[in-house]
């Protein structure tokens, strides 16, 4: 089974594929209102902003937005038998992908959706290797965003900019059994000029992303104050993640060989990825034409 086939996007017991509808013209589509909660948006206004950004991306990619974002109205129940007509969109699979790509990657739902759609929209065209490449690339992007978010949380907790290196190294030391960033690179024979995150495979990236998200949440939840407490918290969270990996029998991160540089992966995908567009039948069907 391929990586793409194993992945599923779901929330509240409902999967993305189960929300798919087919109109009278045989075109598949998803209701934006149905997708809203699955992607972690509680307010329609915020979700509609992500849709607007996705429409702009659609134009930039050379695909007609009207083939992917069809305006529609939807009746919602208000209780006691009442109903109200609200704005909605009928979305193609490509539109759902673009909305996920233009969402906030710090939302766990968006992060999962980005991985899911980036692979699923290409699974017919790409090899298993390319699907694995895409998964790793998405994880690398998410880890970069999480690194920035964690730095912000550390600053809020009182870590001064000159101590950011020490703060981030504490997380590595906790996760890698006492090895800091430079020691990890030396152990894995990674050149000094390379960003350590760029040489991690998907498994190692996921472990580090989990370390970062859990540290950020703990700093905010515990209202950590002061550099020493923030640095200690980061190292302790790294240690907890390491113990979890050890308990389930996973490979410890310092034992995972360095992966191909992420820039090479990106080049390979860019060369192999076809332009996504609806076929004529599906485009007309989504627009309500025969």
């Amino acid at each position: 089974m391929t990586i793409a086939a194993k992945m599923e996007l779901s929330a509240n017991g409902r999967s993305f594929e189960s929300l798919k509808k087919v109109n009278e013209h045989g075109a598949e589509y998803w209701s934006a209102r149905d997708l809203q909660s699955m992607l972690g948006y509680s307010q329609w206004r915020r979700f509609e902003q992500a849709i607007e950004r996705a429409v702009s991306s659609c134009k930039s990619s050379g695909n007609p937005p009207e083939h992917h974002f069809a305006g529609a109205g939807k009746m919602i129940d208000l209780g006691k038998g009442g109903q109200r007509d609200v704005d909605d969109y009928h979305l193609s699979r490509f539109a759902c992908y673009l909305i996920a790509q233009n969402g906030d990657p710090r939302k766990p739902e968006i992060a999962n959706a980005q991985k899911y759609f980036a692979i699923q929209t290409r699974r017919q065209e790409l090899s298993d290797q390319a699907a694995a490449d895409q998964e790793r690339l998405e994880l690398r992007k998410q880890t970069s965003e999480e690194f920035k978010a964690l730095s912000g949380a550390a600053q809020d907790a009182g870590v001064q900019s000159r101590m950011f290196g020490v703060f981030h190294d504490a997380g590595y030391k906790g996760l890698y059994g006492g090895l800091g960033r430079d020691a990890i690179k030396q152990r894995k024979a990674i050149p000094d000029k390379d960003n350590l995150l760029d040489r991690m495979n998907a498994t190692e990236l996921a472990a580090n992303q989990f370390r970062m998200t859990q540290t950020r949440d703990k700093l905010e939840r515990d209202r950590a104050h002061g550099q020493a407490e923030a640095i200690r918290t980061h190292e302790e969270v790294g240690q907890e993640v390491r113990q979890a990996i050890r308990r389930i029998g996973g490979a410890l991160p310092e034992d995972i060989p360095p992966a191909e540089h992420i820039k090479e992966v990106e080049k390979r995908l860019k060369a192999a990825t076809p332009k996504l567009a609806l076929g004529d039948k599906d485009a007309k069907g989504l627009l309500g034409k025969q």
Side-chain angles (χ1 to χ4, degrees), residues 75-89:
M75 299 299 294
I76 61 171
D77 294 326
L78 299 176
K80 298 183 179 179
Q83 289 188 321
R84 178 165 59 89
D85 189 34
V86 295
D87 291 335
D88 195 12
Y89 297 87

Side-chain angles (χ1 to χ4, degrees), residues 72-120:
K74 181 172 183 174
M75 299 299 294
I76 61 171
D77 294 326
L78 299 176
K80 298 183 179 179
Q83 289 188 321
R84 178 165 59 89
D85 189 34
V86 295
D87 291 335
D88 195 12
Y89 297 87
H90 286 176
L91 307 168
S92 72
R93 185 181 294 269
F94 182 43
C96 295
Y97 160 72
L98 289 176
I99 291 170
Q101 292 301 104
N102 283 275
D104 183 353
R106 290 173 295 181
K107 288 179 178 289
E109 298 90 346
I110 287 291
N112 288 334
Q114 287 177 348
K115 286 189 291 185
Y116 177 79
F117 286 119
I119 294 173
Q120 291 293 325

Side-chain angles (χ1 to χ4, degrees), residues 28-271:
E28 65 176 27
Y29 71 93
W30 283 258
S31 161
R33 290 283 177 173
D34 292 342
L35 197 64
Q36 176 187 345
S37 60
M38 180 168 284
L39 294 184
Y41 287 88
S42 58
Q43 297 181 6
W44 171 252
R45 176 174 59 86
R46 296 288 188 191
F47 188 53
E48 198 163 27
Q49 290 172 354
I51 293 175
E52 290 170 358
R53 291 193 295 270
V55 169
S56 296
S57 294
C58 189
K59 290 179 182 177
S60 299
S61 73
N63 290 292
E66 63 272 15
H67 289 180
H68 301 277
F69 302 82
K74 181 172 183 174
M75 299 299 294
I76 61 171
D77 294 326
L78 299 176
K80 298 183 179 179
Q83 289 188 321
R84 178 165 59 89
D85 189 34
V86 295
D87 291 335
D88 195 12
Y89 297 87
H90 286 176
L91 307 168
S92 72
R93 185 181 294 269
F94 182 43
C96 295
Y97 160 72
L98 289 176
I99 291 170
Q101 292 301 104
N102 283 275
D104 183 353
R106 290 173 295 181
K107 288 179 178 289
E109 298 90 346
I110 287 291
N112 288 334
Q114 287 177 348
K115 286 189 291 185
Y116 177 79
F117 286 119
I119 294 173
Q120 291 293 325
T121 52
R122 294 167 171 81
R123 62 188 296 184
Q124 298 300 319
E125 297 92 348
L126 300 182
S127 66
D128 287 354
Q129 178 59 54
D133 283 347
Q134 185 67 52
E135 181 183 25
R136 183 181 164 209
L137 184 61
E138 292 302 321
L139 277 167
R140 178 65 183 92
K141 290 177 181 178
Q142 292 164 25
T143 305
S144 178
E145 292 295 330
E146 192 53 50
F147 184 89
K148 295 175 186 176
L150 178 57
S151 295
Q155 186 175 39
D156 292 342
V159 177
Q160 298 177 12
S161 57
R162 62 184 177 83
M163 293 294 288
F164 274 6
V166 175
F167 170 78
H168 286 295
D169 225 35
Y172 280 128
K173 287 179 178 178
L175 180 57
Y176 288 78
L179 300 177
R181 183 197 62 182
D182 292 343
I184 296 167
K185 292 173 74 171
Q186 185 176 9
R187 179 186 175 100
K188 298 190 179 194
I190 295 173
D192 289 341
K193 63 181 177 60
D194 287 0
N195 185 316
L196 180 56
L197 293 170
D198 287 342
R199 298 300 303 273
M200 293 182 184
N201 69 5
T203 298
E204 192 174 359
L205 279 169
N208 278 277
Q209 184 185 20
F210 185 63
R211 163 181 62 82
M212 293 178 197
T213 58
Q214 294 305 304
T215 300
R216 176 167 59 87
D217 288 348
K218 186 169 177 58
L219 289 175
E220 295 172 354
R221 184 173 61 250
D222 295 352
R223 297 181 181 178
H225 184 70
Q227 293 184 146
E229 184 179 355
I231 291 169
R232 183 175 62 254
T233 296
H234 199 182
E235 185 166 3
E236 289 174 351
V237 171
Q239 290 169 347
E240 290 293 331
V241 176
R242 179 180 179 83
Q243 289 305 314
I245 293 171
R246 191 190 295 276
R247 282 195 298 273
I248 63 177
L252 293 174
E254 67 271 18
D255 294 331
I256 298 176
E260 177 186 20
H261 199 291
I262 198 69
K263 288 183 179 179
E264 296 303 315
V265 174
E266 195 168 15
K267 288 178 185 177
R268 185 164 59 244
L269 276 173
K270 190 173 291 186

Side-chain angles (χ1 to χ4, degrees), residues 8-20 30 38:
E8 180 57 280
L9 175 64
S10 62
N12 302 320
R14 303 187 71 186
S15 71
F16 171 73
E17 294 299 337
S18 74
L19 296 178
K20 181 175 68 178
W30 283 258
M38 180 168 284

